[in-house]
Amino acid sequence: MNIDQALLDIIVCPDCHGGLTAEGEELVCSGCGLAYPVRDDIPVLLVDEARKPA
């Protein structure tokens, strides 16, 4: 995944507004745990597309 750090510093989870961290090919919310996919280096920040925490 190749996402600019400046972008990661300003985007937040659309569900709970928690911070996001890059883990593999996903962005994982530190608040609610939702994991958002990254497709072609573009974060897909749609709650319906997010993977629920285990």
Side-chain angles (χ1 to χ4, degrees):
M1 175 172 32
N2 187 22
I3 297 178
D4 189 79
Q5 186 59 45
L7 178 62
L8 285 175
D9 291 342
I10 60 171
I11 59 175
V12 296
C13 174
D15 190 48
C16 75
H17 306 287
L20 297 171
T21 56
E23 295 184 15
E25 292 297 313
E26 298 178 316
L27 295 177
V28 179
C29 177
S30 60
C32 65
L34 288 175
Y36 297 92
V38 176
R39 296 186 185 124
D40 298 323
D41 294 330
I42 300 170
V44 181
L45 299 178
L46 300 171
V47 175
D48 290 341
E49 294 284 324
R51 183 174 53 80
K52 305 272 190 252

